[in-house]
Amino acid sequence: MTKAAFTYFDILLGLASFATCKMIFAVRAVHLKRKQLMRWILTLWLTLIFVGCSNTRVHEPTKITLISSNTILFDGSITQQNVAVFEELLNAHFQQVSTIVIKSVGGDVLSGIYIGELIHSHQLKVIIRGVCASSCANYVATASSNVIVEEGAVLGWHGGSLQSLYGGFEHDWLDSLFTDEESMKEYLAEWQLKERAFFEKVGVDQSLTVLGMVPGLKEK
C-alpha cells in the first residue's frame, strides 16, 4: 500500500468511525432494533474495506529498478516502453547486473520476445516472484538456464503463436489492437516468425506454450 493510499484509507477509517458513532446515537434516539443497527454498521464497514482496497490497486505503477548492485526488479506489464526502460538500466549496469526479479501478468508478445532475448544474451538469472504469466512465462522464464520460482509464485502458460493450430484465438484481444484484418495478419506473421526464432535460440521446445491446448489432454 502506498503512503498516499494509506493516508486516504486512514481518513476513510476516521470518517467511518465518526459516522458510526453518530449513527449509534441516532439509532438510540429512535429506538431501532439491535439487528438492524448491526446490519447498518456491517454494511458501512464492508463498503469502507472495499473502497480502501480497490484504491490501493488500481493505479499501481510499474517498477523497474535496481534493488541491489547486481539485481533488477521488473514489476509490471511487459510493454515496449517498459522493456526500453529495462534495457537502458541493464546497459548502464551491464558489468554488475546478473539477475532479474520479475513479477508480471504479461503484455505485448513482441516486447516479451525482445526482453527474453536481452535476458538470454546477458545470461541473466531469473527469479519469478508472485505471478509470471503469458508473455512473462513464454519469453522470460524460458530465456534463462538459471530460473528460481519463489515460494508461492506461479508460472502460467496459456498460449502462443502456435495456438491457432488448436482452434484459434479464444479472446478478441487481437481484434482490439487493429483496425483492419490485414494489419492483424501481418502482426501474427511477425509474431510466429520471431517466436520460432526465439525458441530455437534459447533451446526450448516452442510447444511448451500450447501444451495445455493439446486435444485429449483434459481427458487424460
Side-chain angles (χ1 to χ4, degrees):
M1 185 180 293
T2 64
K3 183 177 181 181
F6 183 77
T7 302
Y8 178 65
F9 189 65
D10 282 346
I11 293 172
L12 283 176
L13 283 173
L15 290 174
S17 298
F18 177 72
T20 302
C21 290
K22 289 194 66 177
M23 183 173 64
I24 291 172
F25 285 119
V27 168
R28 286 178 177 175
V30 296
H31 303 290
L32 288 177
K33 293 181 180 180
R34 182 179 178 184
K35 287 185 179 180
Q36 187 174 357
L37 168 63
M38 295 309 296
R39 189 182 304 117
W40 281 13
I41 294 175
L42 180 60
T43 301
L44 175 64
W45 283 103
L46 287 176
T47 303
L48 171 65
I49 292 170
F50 175 78
V51 172
C53 291
S54 63
N55 273 284
T56 64
R57 297 179 183 272
V58 172
H59 300 296
E60 290 183 354
T62 296
K63 298 175 184 177
I64 304 170
T65 184
L66 281 172
I67 56 175
S68 71
S69 60
N70 68 341
T71 303
I72 294 177
L73 170 68
F74 189 112
D75 183 352
S77 299
I78 296 175
T79 65
Q80 186 175 2
Q81 181 181 3
N82 289 342
V83 172
V85 172
F86 169 78
E87 183 178 19
E88 182 178 356
L89 189 60
L90 178 61
N91 289 338
H93 303 274
F94 74 94
Q95 292 182 330
Q96 294 84 29
V97 172
S98 60
T99 303
I100 174 175
V101 175
I102 189 161
K103 178 181 178 183
S104 176
V105 295
D108 175 55
V109 293
L110 298 183
S111 298
I113 291 172
Y114 188 69
I115 191 174
E117 290 174 342
L118 291 173
I119 290 169
H120 181 71
S121 63
H122 287 269
Q123 298 182 335
L124 299 183
K125 174 182 178 181
V126 173
I127 298 178
I128 305 301
R129 179 168 296 173
V131 175
C132 176
S134 195
S135 292
C136 179
N138 284 4
Y139 314 120
V140 175
T142 58
S144 174
S145 59
N146 188 355
V147 180
I148 293 178
V149 181
E150 290 187 341
E151 184 177 358
V154 176
L155 268 171
W157 286 275
H158 65 87
S161 69
L162 294 179
Q163 70 189 73
S164 58
L165 301 175
Y166 300 99
F169 297 95
E170 296 180 0
H171 306 290
D172 60 352
W173 63 273
L174 275 173
D175 294 333
S176 65
L177 296 176
F178 304 99
T179 56
D180 60 276
E181 188 176 350
E182 190 61 33
S183 296
M184 184 175 70
K185 287 181 178 178
E186 291 177 1
Y187 183 88
L188 284 172
E190 182 181 7
W191 179 19
Q192 289 167 347
L193 287 173
K194 289 190 173 181
E195 185 180 272
R196 185 184 306 118
F198 169 78
F199 282 115
E200 287 177 357
K201 179 185 295 184
V202 301
V204 173
D205 192 331
Q206 187 181 2
S207 64
L208 169 71
T209 65
V210 291
L211 283 178
M213 301 176 179
V214 174
L217 181 67
K218 292 182 180 180
E219 290 73 11
K220 296 178 181 180

